[in-house]
Coordinates of all heavy atoms in Angstrom, one line a residue:
A45 N 3.9 -3.6 13.7 CA 3.1 -4.7 13.8 C 3.5 -5.7 12.6 O 3.5 -6.9 12.8 CB 1.7 -4.3 13.9
M46 N 3.5 -5.0 11.4 CA 3.9 -5.9 10.1 C 5.2 -6.5 10.2 O 5.4 -7.6 9.8 CB 3.8 -4.9 8.9 CG 2.4 -4.7 8.4 SD 2.2 -3.8 7.0 CE 2.6 -2.1 7.4
E47 N 6.1 -5.9 10.8 CA 7.5 -6.5 11.0 C 7.5 -7.8 11.8 O 8.3 -8.6 11.6 CB 8.5 -5.5 11.4 CG 8.8 -4.3 10.6 CD 9.8 -3.4 11.2 OE1 9.7 -3.0 12.4 OE2 10.6 -2.8 10.5
N48 N 6.6 -7.8 12.7 CA 6.6 -9.0 13.7 C 5.4 -9.9 13.2 O 5.2 -11.0 13.8 CB 6.3 -8.4 15.0 CG 7.5 -7.8 15.4 OD1 8.7 -8.1 15.3 ND2 7.3 -6.6 16.0
E49 N 4.6 -9.7 12.2 CA 3.4 -10.5 11.9 C 3.9 -11.6 11.0 O 4.5 -11.4 10.0 CB 2.4 -9.5 11.2 CG 1.0 -10.3 10.8 CD 0.4 -10.9 12.1 OE1 0.0 -10.1 13.0 OE2 0.2 -12.1 12.1
T50 N 3.4 -12.8 11.3 CA 3.6 -13.9 10.4 C 2.3 -14.5 9.6 O 2.4 -15.1 8.7 CB 4.2 -15.1 11.2 OG1 3.4 -15.5 12.2 CG2 5.5 -14.8 11.8
D51 N 1.3 -14.0 10.1 CA -0.1 -14.4 9.4 C -0.2 -13.6 8.2 O -0.4 -12.2 8.3 CB -1.2 -14.3 10.3 CG -2.6 -14.6 9.7 OD1 -2.8 -15.9 9.6 OD2 -3.2 -13.7 9.4
L52 N -0.2 -14.1 6.9 CA -0.4 -13.3 5.8 C -1.8 -12.5 5.6 O -1.6 -11.3 5.1 CB -0.1 -14.2 4.5 CG 1.2 -14.7 4.5 CD1 1.4 -15.6 3.2 CD2 2.3 -13.7 4.4
A53 N -2.7 -13.0 6.2 CA -4.0 -12.3 6.1 C -3.9 -11.1 7.0 O -4.5 -10.1 6.6 CB -5.3 -13.2 6.5
N54 N -3.4 -11.2 8.2 CA -3.3 -10.1 9.0 C -2.3 -9.1 8.5 O -2.4 -7.8 8.7 CB -2.9 -10.5 10.4 CG -3.3 -9.5 11.4 OD1 -4.3 -8.8 11.4 ND2 -2.5 -9.4 12.5
L55 N -1.2 -9.5 7.8 CA -0.4 -8.6 7.2 C -1.0 -7.6 6.2 O -0.8 -6.5 6.1 CB 0.7 -9.4 6.5 CG 2.1 -9.4 7.1 CD1 3.0 -10.4 6.5 CD2 2.7 -8.1 7.4
G56 N -2.0 -8.3 5.3 CA -2.7 -7.5 4.3 C -3.6 -6.6 5.1 O -3.7 -5.4 4.6
R57 N -4.3 -6.9 6.3 CA -5.0 -6.0 6.9 C -4.3 -4.9 7.4 O -4.7 -3.7 7.3 CB -5.8 -6.7 8.1 CG -6.7 -5.9 8.9 CD -7.4 -6.6 10.0 NE -6.4 -6.9 11.0 CZ -5.8 -6.0 11.9 NH1 -6.3 -4.8 11.9 NH2 -4.9 -6.5 12.7
L58 N -3.1 -5.2 7.9 CA -2.3 -4.1 8.6 C -1.7 -3.1 7.5 O -1.5 -1.9 7.7 CB -1.1 -4.7 9.3 CG -1.5 -5.4 10.6 CD1 -0.3 -6.3 11.2 CD2 -1.9 -4.4 11.7
N59 N -1.5 -3.8 6.3 CA -0.9 -2.9 5.2 C -2.0 -1.9 4.7 O -1.6 -0.7 4.6 CB -0.6 -3.7 4.0 CG 0.0 -3.0 2.9 OD1 1.0 -2.4 2.9 ND2 -0.9 -3.0 1.8
G60 N -3.2 -2.3 4.7 CA -4.3 -1.3 4.4 C -4.3 -0.3 5.5 O -4.5 0.9 5.2
L61 N -4.4 -0.6 6.7 CA -4.5 0.4 7.8 C -3.3 1.4 7.8 O -3.5 2.4 8.0 CB -4.5 -0.3 9.3 CG -5.8 -1.1 9.4 CD1 -5.6 -2.0 10.7 CD2 -6.9 -0.2 9.7
F62 N -2.3 0.7 7.4 CA -0.9 1.7 7.3 C -1.2 2.7 6.3 O -1.0 3.9 6.4 CB 0.3 0.8 6.9 CG 1.5 1.8 6.4 CD1 2.2 2.4 7.3 CD2 1.7 1.9 5.2 CE1 3.2 3.3 6.9 CE2 2.6 2.7 4.7 CZ 3.4 3.5 5.6
H63 N -1.5 2.3 5.2 CA -1.8 3.2 3.9 C -2.9 4.2 4.3 O -2.7 5.4 4.0 CB -2.1 2.6 2.5 CG -0.9 1.9 2.1 ND1 0.0 2.6 1.2 CD2 -0.4 0.7 2.2 CE1 1.0 1.8 0.9 NE2 0.7 0.7 1.5
M64 N -3.9 3.8 4.9 CA -5.0 4.8 5.2 C -4.7 5.6 6.3 O -5.0 6.8 6.4 CB -6.3 3.9 5.5 CG -6.9 3.2 4.4 SD -7.2 4.2 2.9 CE -8.5 5.2 3.5
S65 N -3.6 5.3 7.1 CA -3.2 6.2 8.2 C -2.5 7.4 7.6 O -2.5 8.5 8.1 CB -2.3 5.5 9.2 OG -1.1 5.2 8.7
L66 N -1.8 7.2 6.4 CA -1.2 8.3 5.6 C -2.2 9.2 4.7 O -1.8 10.3 4.4 CB 0.0 7.8 4.9 CG 1.2 7.3 5.8 CD1 2.3 6.8 4.8 CD2 1.7 8.3 6.8
Y67 N -3.2 8.4 4.4 CA -4.1 9.1 3.4 C -5.3 9.7 4.1 O -6.0 10.7 3.6 CB -4.7 8.2 2.4 CG -3.7 7.3 1.7 CD1 -4.2 6.1 1.2 CD2 -2.5 7.8 1.4 CE1 -3.3 5.2 0.6 CE2 -1.5 6.8 0.7 CZ -1.9 5.6 0.3 OH -1.1 4.9 -0.3
G68 N -5.5 9.4 5.4 CA -6.8 9.9 6.1 C -7.0 11.3 6.2 O -8.1 11.6 6.6
R69 N -6.1 12.2 6.1 CA -6.1 13.6 6.2 C -6.7 14.3 4.9 O -6.9 15.4 4.9 CB -5.0 14.4 7.0 CG -4.7 13.9 8.3 CD -5.6 14.2 9.2 NE -5.3 13.7 10.5 CZ -6.0 13.8 11.5 NH1 -7.1 14.5 11.7 NH2 -5.7 13.4 12.7
S70 N -6.8 13.5 3.9 CA -7.3 14.1 2.6 C -8.9 14.4 2.9 O -9.5 13.7 3.6 CB -7.2 13.0 1.5 OG -8.0 13.4 0.4
T71 N -9.2 15.5 2.3 CA -10.7 15.9 2.5 C -11.5 15.3 1.4 O -12.7 15.5 1.5 CB -10.8 17.5 2.5 OG1 -10.2 17.9 1.3 CG2 -10.1 18.1 3.7
N72 N -11.0 14.5 0.6 CA -11.6 14.0 -0.6 C -12.2 12.5 -0.1 O -11.5 11.5 -0.3 CB -10.9 13.9 -1.8 CG -11.7 13.4 -3.1 OD1 -12.7 12.7 -2.9 ND2 -11.3 13.9 -4.2
R73 N -13.3 12.5 0.5 CA -13.9 11.1 1.0 C -14.1 10.2 -0.2 O -13.9 8.9 0.1 CB -15.2 11.5 1.8 CG -15.0 12.2 3.0 CD -14.2 11.5 4.1 NE -13.2 12.4 4.5 CZ -12.0 11.8 5.1 NH1 -11.9 10.7 5.4 NH2 -11.0 12.7 5.4
K74 N -14.6 10.7 -1.3 CA -14.9 9.7 -2.4 C -13.5 9.1 -2.8 O -13.4 7.8 -3.0 CB -15.4 10.4 -3.6 CG -15.8 9.4 -4.6 CD -16.8 10.1 -5.6 CE -17.3 9.1 -6.5 NZ -18.7 9.2 -7.0
L75 N -12.4 9.8 -2.8 CA -11.0 9.3 -3.3 C -10.7 8.3 -2.1 O -10.2 7.1 -2.5 CB -10.0 10.3 -3.2 CG -8.6 9.9 -3.5 CD1 -8.4 9.3 -4.8 CD2 -7.7 11.3 -3.2
L76 N -10.8 8.5 -0.9 CA -10.5 7.5 0.2 C -11.4 6.3 0.0 O -10.8 5.1 0.3 CB -10.6 8.3 1.6 CG -9.7 9.3 1.8 CD1 -10.0 10.0 3.2 CD2 -8.2 8.9 1.7
N77 N -12.6 6.3 -0.2 CA -13.5 5.2 -0.4 C -13.1 4.4 -1.6 O -13.0 3.1 -1.4 CB -14.9 5.6 -0.6 CG -15.5 6.2 0.8 OD1 -15.1 5.9 1.8 ND2 -16.6 7.0 0.5
L78 N -12.6 5.0 -2.8 CA -12.2 4.2 -3.9 C -10.9 3.5 -3.5 O -10.6 2.3 -3.9 CB -11.9 5.1 -5.0 CG -13.1 5.7 -5.6 CD1 -12.8 6.9 -6.7 CD2 -13.9 4.6 -6.4
I79 N -10.0 4.2 -2.7 CA -8.8 3.6 -2.3 C -9.0 2.4 -1.4 O -8.4 1.4 -1.6 CB -7.8 4.7 -1.7 CG1 -7.3 5.5 -2.7 CG2 -6.6 3.9 -0.9 CD1 -6.6 6.8 -2.1
N80 N -9.8 2.6 -0.5 CA -10.2 1.4 0.5 C -10.8 0.2 -0.2 O -10.2 -0.9 0.0 CB -11.2 2.0 1.4 CG -11.2 0.9 2.6 OD1 -10.2 0.6 3.2 ND2 -12.5 0.7 3.1
V81 N -11.4 0.4 -1.4 CA -12.1 -0.7 -2.1 C -10.8 -1.4 -2.8 O -10.7 -2.7 -2.8 CB -13.1 -0.3 -3.2 CG1 -13.3 -1.4 -4.3 CG2 -14.3 0.2 -2.5
E82 N -9.9 -0.5 -3.3 CA -8.7 -1.0 -4.0 C -7.7 -1.9 -3.1 O -7.2 -2.9 -3.3 CB -7.9 -0.3 -4.9 CG -8.9 0.2 -6.1 CD -9.4 -0.9 -7.0 OE1 -8.6 -1.8 -7.1 OE2 -10.5 -0.9 -7.2
L83 N -7.6 -1.3 -1.8 CA -6.8 -1.9 -0.9 C -7.3 -3.3 -0.4 O -6.5 -4.2 -0.3 CB -6.6 -1.1 0.4 CG -5.6 0.1 0.3 CD1 -5.8 1.0 1.4 CD2 -4.2 -0.4 0.3
Q84 N -8.6 -3.4 -0.3 CA -9.2 -4.7 0.0 C -9.1 -5.7 -1.1 O -8.7 -6.9 -0.9 CB -10.7 -4.5 0.3 CG -10.8 -3.7 1.6 CD -12.4 -3.4 1.8 OE1 -13.3 -3.9 1.2 NE2 -12.7 -2.5 2.7
E85 N -9.1 -5.2 -2.3 CA -9.0 -6.2 -3.6 C -7.5 -6.5 -3.5 O -7.1 -7.7 -3.8 CB -9.2 -5.3 -4.8 CG -9.0 -6.1 -6.0 CD -9.9 -7.3 -6.2 OE1 -11.0 -7.4 -5.6 OE2 -9.6 -8.1 -7.2
E86 N -6.6 -5.6 -3.3 CA -5.1 -5.9 -3.3 C -4.7 -6.8 -2.2 O -3.7 -7.5 -2.3 CB -4.4 -4.5 -3.3 CG -3.0 -4.7 -3.4 CD -2.0 -4.5 -2.3 OE1 -2.5 -4.3 -1.1 OE2 -0.8 -4.5 -2.4
E87 N -5.4 -7.0 -1.0 CA -5.0 -7.8 -0.1 C -4.7 -9.2 -0.5 O -3.8 -9.8 -0.1 CB -6.1 -7.9 1.1 CG -5.9 -6.8 2.1 CD -6.8 -7.1 3.3 OE1 -6.9 -8.3 3.7 OE2 -7.3 -6.0 3.7
R88 N -5.5 -9.7 -1.3 CA -5.2 -11.1 -1.8 C -4.0 -11.2 -2.7 O -3.3 -12.3 -2.5 CB -6.5 -11.8 -2.4 CG -6.9 -11.0 -3.8 CD -8.2 -11.7 -4.4 NE -8.6 -10.8 -5.5 CZ -9.1 -11.5 -6.5 NH1 -9.2 -12.8 -6.6 NH2 -9.4 -10.7 -7.5
F89 N -3.8 -10.4 -3.4 CA -2.5 -10.2 -4.3 C -1.3 -10.1 -3.4 O -0.3 -10.6 -3.6 CB -2.6 -9.3 -5.3 CG -3.7 -9.3 -6.3 CD1 -4.7 -8.1 -6.3 CD2 -4.1 -10.4 -7.0 CE1 -5.8 -8.4 -7.1 CE2 -5.1 -10.5 -7.7 CZ -6.0 -9.6 -7.8

Side-chain angles (χ1 to χ4, degrees):
M46 284 187 280
E47 288 178 325
N48 297 310
E49 184 59 62
T50 58
D51 179 78
L52 295 179
N54 203 34
L55 258 172
R57 183 186 66 79
L58 289 166
N59 181 66
L61 290 169
F62 165 79
H63 284 277
M64 293 308 289
S65 73
L66 293 181
Y67 309 153
R69 298 289 174 185
S70 167
T71 57
N72 187 332
R73 294 292 126 198
K74 187 163 186 148
L75 175 63
L76 294 177
N77 288 336
L78 289 169
I79 290 170
N80 197 44
V81 167
E82 292 309 313
L83 281 168
Q84 290 173 18
E85 176 71 16
E86 188 250 3
E87 271 189 41
R88 63 188 176 135
F89 305 119

